[in-house]
Amino acid sequence: MRAKKAAAVVLAGVMSCTAISGGISVSAEEAFGEKDPASYEADLTMMVHTTDQPNFMIEKFNEVYPNIHIELVVVPAGEQQEKIMNMVAAGDDVPDLFTSRTQFVKAIVNSDQYYADLNSEPYNATDWTSAIEPYVVGVGTDTTGALRALSWQCPVGGIYYRRSLAKEYFGTDDPAAMSEKFASFDSILETARELREKSGGEVKFDGDALTGLMYLGITNAGGYMKGNVLNTGDEVRELFEVAKTMYDEDLTGKFYNDGQSSVAAKGEGKIFADEKPTWGLTNDILINLPEQAGDWGLASGPYPYTAGGTWIGISQTTEHPEEAYLFLKFILTNEEFVYDYAVNFGDYVSNMNVQQKVASLPAEEAEKLNIFTFLGGQNAYEYWNGELAKGVNPEAFSPYDEFFGKYLLAAMEAYAVGNLSLDEAIAQYQSECQNYAPSIELE
Amino acid sequence: MTRKKVNFGILFVTPFLLGLLVFRLLPFLYTFVISFTNWNLMMGEKSFTGLDNYKRLLSDKNFYIALRNTVKIWAMNIVPRLGIALLCAVLFAQCRLRGKSFFKMVFYFPNLVNSATVAVLAAMIMGWQSGVVNRFLMQIGILEEPVYWLGQASSAQGIVAFVTWWMWFGYSAIMFTTGILNVPASYIEAAIVDGANAWQRFWRITFPLIRPTIAYVFLTTLIGGLQNFEIPRVITDGLGAPDKSLLTMVMQMHTIAFKSMQYGYGSAFAMGIFVVTAVFAAFSYRMINKKEE
């Protein structure tokens, strides 16, 4: 009897210890989303730079979690990084959730001051992040392996082109044939020259070759930075040379920093192609040129690439980690919502299950997505899935992309218009970047 | 003056003094203090580094480029601005013109428009491929190909100087008009009796008497000109292109402090701007007073 009592005491002790030590994580895991959704109550704030998509997310989220209220704090895109850093430094009014554009997300993610680590306590998000596109996870992961931010979108790129112009000047509007014509920078130049000859110089290959080339080439070049060294290698120099040729031979519209004129020229049928990622279709071409629905196609460029996108994470200082986490998880993994979002916005989502689902939609269902009809029935998801399968390198992103991209474009333009020689333009680019970030090294 | 009046006086100036202390002096002192640190929000650094930032400032090519550009753009607009403003003021004050009030309003109107808006407008008008100016010049046969006005250093600086002149000459004209109207009419009448012509009346009587107004406008224009920011900032998206020709001192300080988050060096840069402005202002003030003496 005494032995039984002793055993019972030991067993009780062991159980208590288990409950105390492991119980925190068990109860936390249970607490995070295990309760009745209506029982969660909180007022959250979320800093964003645009409202359409977040409002849609909140509306859908509230259909499941009606008592978690999320107030948007809208900050202009260009001021977002400064705002986040200052707010966290001051420790005042830091929102529970905040977004970071890809141009500076690494600056936020690589610091342990801003976003909480989603892989550790109390979040333990490891069980569902495998559903998210790996490069998106890679960008949101810091140098120590902590996952701090994720994106609901996956902005891979391509080259959009006018089908009617393709038929007129090249005899085909087939995306596969166009992809061959865009297979390298040399073939792009050849295509642009052919277009110039056949159109008598009326139709330019693109509106803004500088930005287009930067999109097409910088991911493949390994990004603006290689480790702590500014990348001015051969691939980057090639962008300068191609831009110069495009300008010298009058192959491009030269509408750098003049988006309105570029749109007007597209409207007049004077621009053949537009090198842009996913959002370029929904936020630019489709919105500005609705009358050209059905007359655009999408083909691969020389390299798979990605540009832009918005990441989101949870503030380290949030007082509502569970509710913030539920929102984050909802917009990324609730497949019903993600599908609705994809259909409504035409955005390419980061959830791989939904990527496959949309890519394999039967034709009558696919018509629900206006991006498909805009692209003349082409399944953009199928194309984007194909580009992602070629591989996008998450290492191609640096904390300085916002400004280094601007400096690169300014230097490319200075060379293209003849204000500077190639070496002078590269030197200017290096000088600007080092002035912005004195700790970087130059090649 | 009675003590009660003095107390009233102090009471009335207290809000201003508090504002000056809280919004001007304290930030200035704080900026001065952090200029001796390497505070960098991006890198998470903040420690005392002595004079390192000032050493960096003195060897920073961009500081001198920005200083040269700022002074150049200011110099390009100050002469026509003061000259045309003075001419308008004389016409407004001393000539019988129909619709004077209308012209005063029209000339002053650009000053009411937000600088950023004006800059966007200027960029559109002077645009390369589809700007209004290029289209017009090509239509009337002056140009065969569009000119990249904002892509060449000299024309880009000229455009910013012109826009600044256009925005501010109306304000200067109003100030000069007020100065001329304050010249006692008896002086002018006496000069007329003595046989002075209009030119002599202006140079011998009006101009010397409005010199304090001119000095005020000149100094405020100088200080404003050395803080040139919005127009080149908007036109070049903060880059100062082409070839850094539109990089001004405040724009470079803004990029360092608020875009690359180098608060320490940005503060030292701001102190550099302060010193340059103070030296220019003191020199100008001394020159003007010397002439008065």
Side-chain angles (χ1 to χ4, degrees), chain A residues 82 86 261 413 419 435-436, chain B residues 130 148 151 252 259 262-263:
Chain A
E82 176 189 338
N86 278 311
S261 300
E413 191 200 28
N419 284 349
N435 191 54
Y436 181 87
Chain B
S130 53
Y148 194 7
Q252 180 65 0
K259 295 300 172 192
Q262 301 173 60
Y263 286 170

Side-chain angles (χ1 to χ4, degrees), chain A residues 114-329:
Chain A
Y114 305 103
Y115 288 136
D117 178 5
L118 298 173
N119 279 343
S120 62
E121 295 288 350
Y123 302 104
N124 301 310
T126 45
D127 60 329
W128 54 264
T129 49
S130 56
I132 307 298
E133 174 58 39
Y135 108 79
V136 169
V137 178
V139 171
T141 303
D142 72 10
T143 48
T144 67
L147 175 63
R148 299 194 181 275
L150 288 163
S151 178
W152 60 89
Q153 52 191 188
C154 200
V156 287
I159 300 180
Y160 300 95
Y161 63 93
R162 287 287 300 277
R163 286 179 182 274
S164 55
L165 295 176
K167 269 186 188 162
E168 185 178 347
Y169 297 116
F170 305 120
T172 176
D173 69 343
D174 177 40
M178 285 300 116
S179 295
E180 279 180 30
K181 293 187 97 55
F182 307 147
S184 67
F185 284 131
D186 283 342
S187 59
I188 284 178
L189 287 175
E190 282 310 313
T191 305
R193 287 177 187 129
E194 188 182 346
L195 190 65
R196 184 190 58 194
E197 300 310 319
K198 290 181 176 172
S199 71
E202 272 295 295
V203 181
K204 308 292 183 194
F205 180 79
D206 57 13
D208 170 15
L210 302 175
T211 312
L213 289 167
M214 186 188 74
Y215 284 152
L216 291 178
I218 199 68
T219 310
N220 176 63
Y224 300 101
M225 296 287 292
K226 283 189 170 173
N228 193 40
V229 181
L230 182 70
N231 182 8
T232 48
D234 291 343
E235 288 107 335
V236 174
R237 284 171 181 264
E238 187 185 15
L239 300 180
F240 281 77
E241 295 292 12
V242 178
K244 175 82 174 157
T245 308
M246 298 278 278
Y247 269 62
D248 285 351
E249 297 186 19
D250 217 12
L251 304 174
T252 176
K254 301 177 186 170
F255 292 120
Y256 170 56
N257 270 346
D258 191 1
Q260 286 181 326
S261 300
S262 185
V263 168
K266 281 177 203 155
E268 292 166 6
K270 292 180 177 172
I271 301 293
F272 171 62
D274 200 353
E275 310 91 337
K276 279 200 166 76
T278 51
W279 49 262
L281 175 63
T282 51
N283 295 359
D284 184 358
I285 304 172
L286 194 147
I287 284 182
N288 289 315
L289 302 160
E291 71 282 1
Q292 293 178 1
D295 193 31
W296 284 83
L298 175 57
S300 299
Y303 313 106
Y305 72 94
T306 174
T310 303
W311 269 248
I312 184 169
I314 300 170
S315 164
Q316 289 198 1
T317 55
T318 180
E319 291 174 3
H320 306 286
E322 184 174 2
E323 289 81 2
Y325 175 82
L326 291 175
F327 177 77
L328 191 76
K329 189 177 174 186

Side-chain angles (χ1 to χ4, degrees), chain A residues 72-84:
Chain A
L72 295 182
V73 179
V74 185
V75 175
E79 295 168 21
Q80 212 182 2
Q81 179 182 5
E82 176 189 338
K83 189 84 177 169
I84 291 166

Side-chain angles (χ1 to χ4, degrees), chain B residues 32-274:
Chain B
F32 184 64
V33 170
I34 61 177
S35 71
F36 296 101
T37 70
N38 66 347
W39 191 4
N40 184 326
L41 210 53
M42 188 102 79
M43 307 303 287
E45 297 167 338
K46 190 181 182 184
S47 56
F48 180 75
T49 52
L51 292 171
D52 283 3
N53 286 329
Y54 288 96
K55 285 179 193 161
R56 182 180 162 193
L57 180 70
L58 291 174
S59 60
D60 186 347
K61 272 194 298 184
N62 281 335
F63 179 71
Y64 298 106
I65 292 171
L67 172 61
R68 188 189 64 207
N69 291 337
T70 309
V71 173
K72 198 171 166 187
I73 293 169
W74 171 77
M76 283 164 83
N77 85 74
I78 185 69
V79 176
R81 179 167 151 188
L82 294 188
I84 293 174
L86 197 57
L87 180 69
C88 289
V90 170
L91 292 173
F92 290 151
Q94 295 185 341
C95 298
R96 288 185 182 175
L97 291 175
R98 292 178 78 183
K100 264 195 269 188
S101 302
F102 171 75
F103 283 111
K104 276 187 201 170
M105 189 183 73
V106 168
F107 291 158
Y108 189 73
F109 183 71
N111 200 241
L112 300 176
V113 185
N114 182 284
S115 302
T117 313
V118 173
V120 171
L121 207 64
M124 286 172 71
I125 291 170
M126 302 307 297
W128 185 9
Q129 298 299 323
S130 53
V132 177
V133 169
N134 273 338
R135 285 196 171 194
F136 175 72
L137 293 176
M138 285 169 73
Q139 238 168 16
I140 60 173
I142 291 179
L143 292 180
E144 279 184 13
E145 284 191 343
V147 175
Y148 194 7
W149 303 105
L150 289 168
Q152 296 162 5
S154 53
S155 53
Q157 287 180 335
I159 289 165
V160 171
F162 176 81
V163 171
T164 312
W165 165 80
W166 177 75
M167 280 192 73
W168 287 94
F169 91 95
Y171 168 80
S172 303
I174 299 287
M175 296 295 288
F176 289 153
T177 307
T178 310
I180 292 171
L181 290 175
N182 281 334
V183 173
S186 56
Y187 292 7
I188 305 292
E189 286 161 8
I192 292 170
V193 170
D194 287 345
N197 61 28
W199 184 248
Q200 288 168 327
R201 290 200 301 272
F202 175 74
W203 275 115
R204 300 293 169 96
I205 298 172
T206 307
F207 190 76
L209 288 173
I210 64 165
R211 184 175 274 165
T213 310
I214 294 174
Y216 171 77
V217 172
F218 182 83
L219 278 176
T220 51
T221 303
L222 174 72
I223 293 166
L226 293 178
Q227 293 173 355
N228 195 350
F229 173 65
E230 294 99 329
I231 294 170
R233 163 77 180 79
V234 172
I235 286 180
T236 68
D237 194 20
L239 298 177
D243 306 340
K244 297 186 183 177
S245 61
L246 293 183
L247 185 72
T248 64
M249 290 193 294
V250 176
M251 205 161 97
Q252 180 65 0
M253 185 272 289
H254 180 261
T255 300
I256 292 166
F258 301 110
K259 295 300 172 192
S260 67
M261 309 288 176
Q262 301 173 60
Y263 286 170
Y265 182 54
S267 299
F269 206 99
M271 297 312 296
I273 297 173
F274 168 74

